[in-house]
């Protein structure tokens, strides 16, 4: 665990908290773009990475830092929604939940102790906290764009976790995973547009006709 | 390329080519006919690959990355059946002049997404690598999402969004599980690309880290279980199944769910071998199966909507299949037969219900009255397939449910047997109360045509006869296929 690595990980935690504490979609999209770039830089900071891992990191930076924010920004503009509408959990309680998630992630890492090779550093607990934060955002936010942002935070967490847990995932599999992620965000963008055409807004909380 | 390689690759290659070709036909009718004919051709290739495995043994190519053994070949055969049945009804379900008619652009897009999902589901089944398997499952979610809202309305868009978000998050958790499985193999003699081949994992199960593997299995079960609609991760299932057009519901219920269960069954023998056959993994499946059964029974009793009734019945049957596999032995054999019977009955029920809903102009059970009098073909299709799905004797699912019950009692799990029996009986009585007025009595008011072509009659009749025949008598070759598939789950080599 070197200094640049730790700086990146701390920045990732801060970006989680920024997402939890803000309801402006524009700034949330920029924050999750920054988080994607930071996650893509992780393998570089670790040092000693081979060509394939560098290529993969570069693809992650381009996709998560530049392509996804554009897709999300377009969905946001076309839906004319710039703020989260009545989140299920307010921003101050969300921040408290973020702190609790962080504490829980470190506790879980302690419990899992010795199971993962890289234990000792803070990569695994930070990855856990990002995954839980993503899940929390998907559940606690009602705007469709914010739910997609939650999904991306979950994905960033899983990416960080994959660096700690399984460096030996075959290159082809990693490429397939990235392709799926790209298509996922693309499809979700189109879905938001179509929902917007029909509903005039993208508050998925009002998608509550189907019950029982 | 050998003949075996061709058998393995062609069924996936054909729909991958047909997906872009779906945008060529000049009319909506042409696009829909391409969909049904192309699917029939693909199903024939899939059937050939499956027969090759059961006569000649496991097919494998590309260094084991592509692989078809008894378990996957059985699922390929079931999938071919479901897709062929559903695609045959595509032109009828969206025919011009009906309320569901599609414009040309929508019909072409439907064909493209249909073949795309067919190719993605096949990728899941023929993949020998857990990573590629995951890529296939996620691709299936993304490609099928827009099939739910072929006709955009508030209900179908809501169902599509729920499906997209819930399943994407679920499947992301399954990827975490895949990573943990890869991490558990760190000390095993597996190198590089071999890390995620399940043949490799199974061969070196003894040297896997049991702690990490258990954590990975929990994530995989939650992730793929979400996609399979197992309770308590089933929230998307009733909405998507009830809002999608009938041929899409038929595929969702008849195979999409089984495809996700297959991913869990793939891992079970590896986990059991690595944890010393303690039954830890099977126990999780038994618990989830029972949870699904109980949940579905409650919602079936309270149901007012015909397509949601069928959706909750799918939840019930995924629960029964999971329970059977969890119990193991004769239970796993029964679960395989149950998979086959459910995948014949449920598409027939959804396709018949789709026509009846169009004819009566309502999804609501109280508006569908006297279906047998209004349309003998679709009325009988719905009534008989529902009776079979409820586990009425002498249909196939009565026999399989009895086998699973006897396995549970034989294993000394009286509590499991009691819960299973209570839930199945509750669902049976609750649904029968709804089915009888729908089927018999004077025909209710209809707003649309309820006609059936000669091909429709043949399809419904064949499906119903198959359900009856499977309940009365199990041919030796079929029993052999089922027990070989069950043996793979039990950890044997087919």
């Amino acid at each position: 665990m070197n200094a640049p690595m730790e700086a990146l990980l701390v920045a990732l935690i801060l970006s989680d908290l920024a997402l939890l504490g803000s309801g402006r979609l524009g700034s949330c999209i920029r924050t999750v773009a920054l988080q994607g770039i930071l996650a893509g830089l992780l393998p570089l900071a670790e040092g000693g990475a081979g060509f394939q891992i560098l290529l993969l990191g570069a693809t992650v930076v381009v996709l998560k830092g530049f392509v996804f924010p554009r897709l999300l920004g377009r969905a946001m503009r076309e839906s004319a929604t710039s703020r989260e509408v009545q989140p299920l959990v307010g921003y101050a309680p969300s921040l408290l939940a973020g702190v609790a998630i962080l504490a829980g992630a470190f506790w879980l890492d302690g419990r899992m102790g010795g199971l993962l090779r890289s234990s000792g550093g803070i990569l695994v607990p930070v990855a856990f906290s990002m995954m839980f934060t993503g899940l929390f955002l998907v559940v606690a936010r009602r705007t469709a764009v914010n739910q997609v942002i939650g999904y991306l935070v979950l994905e960033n967490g899983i990416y960080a976790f994959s660096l700690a847990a399984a460096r030996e995932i075959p290159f082809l599999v990693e490429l397939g995973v990235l392709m799926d992620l790209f298509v996922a965000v693309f499809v979700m963008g189109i879905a938001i547009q179509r929902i917007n055409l029909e509903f005039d807004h993208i508050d998925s909380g009002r998608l509550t006709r189907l019950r029982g | 390329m050998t003949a075996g390689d061709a058998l393995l690759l062609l069924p996936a290659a054909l729909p991958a080519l047909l997906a872009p070709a779906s945008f060529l036909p000049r009319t909506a009718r042409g696009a829909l006919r391409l969909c049904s004919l192309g699917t029939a051709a693909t199903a024939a290739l899939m059937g050939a690959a499956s027969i090759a495995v059961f006569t000649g043994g496991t097919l494998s190519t590309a260094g084991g990355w592509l692989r078809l053994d008894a378990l996957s070949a059985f699922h390929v055969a079931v999938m071919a059946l479901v897709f062929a049945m559903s695609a045959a009804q595509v032109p009828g379900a969206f025919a011009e002049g009906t309320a569901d008619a599609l414009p040309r652009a929508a019909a072409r897009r439907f064909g493209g997404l249909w073949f795309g999902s067919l190719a993605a589901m096949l990728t899941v089944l023929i993949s020998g690598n857990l990573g590629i398997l995951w890529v296939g499952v996620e691709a299936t979610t993304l490609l099928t999402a827009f099939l739910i809202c072929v006709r955009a309305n508030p209900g179908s868009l809501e169902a599509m969004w729920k499906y997209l978000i819930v399943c994407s998050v679920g499947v992301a958790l399954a990827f975490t599980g895949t990573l943990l499985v890869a991490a558990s193999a760190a000390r095993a003699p597996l190198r590089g690309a071999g890390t995620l081949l399940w043949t490799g994992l199974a061969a070196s199960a003894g040297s896997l880290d049991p702690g990490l593997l258990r954590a990975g299995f929990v994530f995989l079960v939650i992730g793929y279980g979400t996609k399979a609609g197992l309770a308590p991760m089933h929230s998307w299932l009733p909405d998507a199944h009830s809002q999608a057009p009938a041929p899409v519901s038929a595929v969702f219920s008849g195979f999409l769910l089984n495809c996700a269960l297959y991913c869990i069954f793939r891992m079970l023998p590896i986990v059991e071998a690595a944890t010393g056959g303690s039954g830890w993994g099977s126990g999780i499946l038994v618990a989830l199966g029972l949870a699904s059964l109980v949940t579905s029974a409650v919602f079936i009793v309270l149901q007012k909507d015909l397509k949601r009734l069928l959706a909750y019945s799918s939840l019930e049957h995924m629960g029964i299949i999971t329970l059977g596999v969890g119990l193991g032995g004769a239970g796993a054999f029964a679960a395989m037969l149950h998979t086959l019977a459910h995948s014949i009955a449920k598409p027939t029920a959804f396709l018949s219900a789709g026509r009846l809903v169009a004819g009566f102009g309502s999804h609501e059970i109280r508006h569908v009255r006297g279906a047998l009098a209004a349309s003998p073909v679709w009325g009988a299709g719905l009534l008989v397939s529902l009776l079979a799905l409820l586990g009425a004797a002498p249909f196939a699912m009565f026999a399989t449910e009895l086998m699973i019950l006897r396995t549970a009692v034989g294993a000394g799990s009286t509590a499991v047997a009691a819960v299973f029996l209570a839930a199945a009986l509750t669902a049976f009585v609750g649904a029968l109360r709804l089915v009888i007025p729908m089927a018999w009595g004077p025909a209710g008011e209809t707003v649309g045509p309820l006609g059936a072509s000669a091909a429709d009659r043949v399809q419904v009749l064949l499906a119903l006869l198959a359900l009856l025949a499977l309940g009365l008598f199990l041919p030796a070759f079929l029993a052999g296929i089922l027990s070989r598939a069950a043996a793979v789950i039990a950890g044997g080599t087919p």
Side-chain angles (χ1 to χ4, degrees), chain B residues 213-381:
Chain B
L213 191 65
R214 282 183 191 201
F217 187 65
V218 169
F219 273 99
L220 287 172
V221 168
I222 293 176
Y224 292 134
T226 308
K227 190 81 197 284
L230 293 177
M233 293 87 76
H234 67 283
S235 64
W236 64 272
L237 185 146
D239 295 349
H241 284 61
S242 64
Q243 293 298 314
V248 177
S249 311
V251 165
F252 265 56
S253 197
F255 198 71
L256 186 76
L257 305 177
N258 296 98
C259 189
L261 280 186
Y262 162 83
C263 302
I264 298 177
F265 299 161
R266 237 330 135 204
M267 275 310 291
L268 186 64
I270 300 173
V271 172
E272 285 300 321
T275 54
S278 58
W280 174 84
S282 310
I284 293 181
L285 296 190
V286 169
L288 276 179
L290 286 180
S292 307
L293 268 161
V294 171
T295 311
S296 68
V298 171
F299 281 95
I300 283 174
V301 170
L302 300 172
Q303 208 40 250
K304 294 187 172 66
D305 181 304
L306 174 55
K307 292 185 83 178
R308 291 178 86 81
L309 172 71
L310 295 178
Y312 279 110
S313 151
S314 299
L315 176 58
E316 179 192 1
H317 288 285
M318 291 309 119
I320 295 174
I321 294 168
T322 310
L323 175 64
V325 167
L327 289 169
F333 175 85
M336 291 301 110
L337 180 55
H338 199 89
T339 302
L340 175 63
H342 175 255
S343 291
I344 295 174
K346 193 48 74 63
T348 309
F350 263 117
L351 295 167
S352 308
R355 294 300 184 89
L356 290 171
V357 162
F360 285 99
S362 169
H363 280 206
E364 286 187 45
I365 290 174
R366 67 191 165 95
H367 289 150
V368 179
R369 282 289 174 266
L372 280 175
S375 163
V377 178
W378 301 122

Side-chain angles (χ1 to χ4, degrees), chain A residues 136-205:
Chain A
F136 179 84
L137 284 172
V138 171
V139 178
R141 298 288 185 262
R142 301 210 305 184
T143 312
V145 171
N146 256 340
Q147 291 183 336
V148 180
I149 288 175
Y151 174 67
L152 285 178
V153 175
L154 170 65
E155 273 290 341
N156 286 341
I158 293 175
Y159 178 75
F161 184 69
S162 78
L163 295 177
R167 295 303 293 262
E168 308 201 340
I169 294 281
F171 186 58
L172 199 61
V173 172
E174 295 265 29
L175 274 189
V177 171
L178 271 179
M179 188 192 70
D180 268 357
L181 182 60
F182 170 69
V183 179
V185 175
F186 188 69
V187 165
M188 287 173 189
I190 297 174
I192 290 175
Q193 281 176 23
R194 296 189 66 176
I195 292 173
N196 178 52
L197 279 178
E198 197 71 30
F199 283 88
D200 293 329
H201 61 77
I202 48 167
D203 173 2
S204 67

Side-chain angles (χ1 to χ4, degrees), chain B residues 53-54 68-76 125 262 265-266 269 336 481 484-486 488-489 494:
Chain B
V53 170
F54 284 110
L68 209 55
D69 66 359
L71 181 62
S72 40
F74 168 69
H75 279 86
V76 165
L125 294 180
Y262 162 83
F265 299 161
R266 237 330 135 204
M336 291 301 110
I481 288 174
R484 281 172 67 185
V488 175
I489 300 180

